Amino acid sequence: MESQQRSPLLEVKGNIELKRPLVKAHSRLPLLGSSFKRGRDQMEDILEPEKKRTRGLGTASKFAASQPRAPVRTTVPHAQGQTAAPKLPKKTGLRCSTAVATVLKNQKPGPAAPAQKPGTAAAPPKLEGKKPSKRPAWDLKGQLCDLNAELKCCREKTRTLDQENQQLRDQLREAQQQAMDLGTERRTLEGELSRVRAQAEQGQQELENLSAHVLELEERLSTQESLVEELQKEQLGLQEERRGLATRLEEQERRLQASEAALSGSQAEVASLRKEAAAQVALLAERGERLHWLEMERRRLHNQLQELKGNIRVFCRVRPVLPGEPTPPPGFLLFPSGPGGPSDPSTHLSLFRSDERRGTLSGVPAAPTRYDFSFDRVFPPGSGQDEVFEEIAMLVQSALDGYPVCIFAYGQTGSGKTFTMEGGPGGDPQVEGLIPRALRHLFSVAQELSSQGWTYSFVASYVEIYNETVRDLLATGTRKGQGGDCEIRRVGPGSEELTVTNARYVPVSCEKEVEALLHLARQNRAVARTAQNERSSRSHSVFQLQISGEHAGRGLQCGAPLNLVDLAGSERLDPGLALGPGERERLRETQAINSSLSTLGLVIMALSNKESHVPYRNSKLTYLLQNSLGGSAKMLMFVNISPLEENASESLNSLRFASKVNQCVIGTAQANRK
């Protein structure tokens, strides 16, 4: 655009200096007739400045005049068959023509442009008309006429090129319109192609379905054809025998009558079978009622049997002598046979104790004193865990029937209480304690009762009471070993059911879950070294299992807790013993243990004497277990004693406490049913 806007005068001057042909540009020369319309005076006024400027050119003008004059050529661009014609400017004044004449005055004709080689772009068209001869430098008017003639030719060519350009633009617009129409048509065809493809896919799917259906029909057709062939063969045979069968028509009719009679008999038999099935359903329902009544009767008789044995029972268990312990003297403990002979389980225990402070006048030691005790059952040192559990299995069954059950393990430190309740280490099935065996028995019986329509759920908790503080033995994480946030509260206003706040209540359904809880509780329980045991339990541990049963078909519900309590060791205090800081802590623990055990004895006595006030709240242990100690509960106490003579004093205290409990009688138990 910058080259197109330059004036012809500058282009001519540049061509002279650079010795190159003049490039076509928009001419600003006036039209041919315009210069003649002006007067002569105006022409002289216009030419006067140009003359003065020509005189001042000096050596530059002479140098420019000495150079050969290049012919004026026009360049027309060609692009793909289209010719772009430059637009010619409108008329300008004569001043521009005078300047051109001044430059051309000193310009000489130059050599012709070299011929174009074949195969190259076509040369621009030459200007029409005869080439003017060289005019004198003073003939400005003639030079102007020549330029006007050339300008006229250029304009004619420009008009021709403009027309061609317009035609090409029209063709371009038509081509673009056709392209747009073709694009629209292409999109339409693509949409139709998509629809046709979808229809083709649908048709292909239908064709596959029809093909499958045709195959199926062909198979059926082949079957029908074979059947038709067989029928045709049979028809031919029947047609052949038709005449012979005519005589046998009556016989066939008689057979038909016989078949109808048989059908009537079958229908009567079906009706009879339906009646029998209805009778069986009624009998089954009656037997279900009978089974339910028998289950209720079993529970009643089972409870009656437990009441005959006593709602408060006491078992005595003597642990065996452990390796490294001294062998007790013969006759220290005796287990007299029962009323039925040696085969009858023992219920009596005799302990012989010699007092060195007593003696005769002759200086001979006095004979040992004999102490006789009677309990509901006595287990000698050779009794195994299975034998012990077999005796309490029916009591555990009462918890499943809806009666609160509480089982204690009482005795001095090292007498085998924890072994009786939880079992020995190592996971040996032979030494499993009462807790895992009781839960296994409950799971098994609950599975059997599920066939009668009963469903049971079990929720376990395990806490310890240490120095009158309740701790959660199932706590994990940061709450492990902290008991200040556990308190005994009632479930709700007006409710008699108790719960321990901030304690974990874990639903259990199998033995492995119970084993995991027991393992966690062993790690969290408070123990310490005492004079009687290297690792003594210094707290009461209470394992509670809340049992809930429901018979959806009859709308029956029952629920009761099973409490398995491992009491802390019951040792007497020695007031004359000098105590250090550690011994003072053991002393406080022993005082708290003995206080809670004394409260337990007072509660049992108050229940036995039917007193109006029972001091449950005097101890956290009795307050937590109050719903399992009253008249609607069943209670069993294991008194564990040591077989060593050195522990005879503590063993006597334990046996005397157990004898007092054994003499108590609590009223008739009632099941918690809804």
Side-chain angles (χ1 to χ4, degrees), residues 353 412 532 569-575 587 590 594 648-653 656:
R353 180 186 180 187
Q412 72 175 103
Q532 284 77 19
S570 58
E571 291 87 23
R572 291 180 299 173
L573 297 176
D574 188 358
L587 176 61
T590 304
N594 290 338
S649 177
E650 295 293 341
S651 298
L652 279 176
N653 290 331
R656 287 167 180 166

Side-chain angles (χ1 to χ4, degrees), residues 18-36:
L18 300 176
K19 297 179 182 181
R20 61 181 177 82
L22 179 64
V23 180
K24 180 182 178 182
H26 296 292
S27 175
R28 296 183 182 179
L29 294 177
L31 294 176
L32 183 60
S34 61
S35 61
F36 295 100

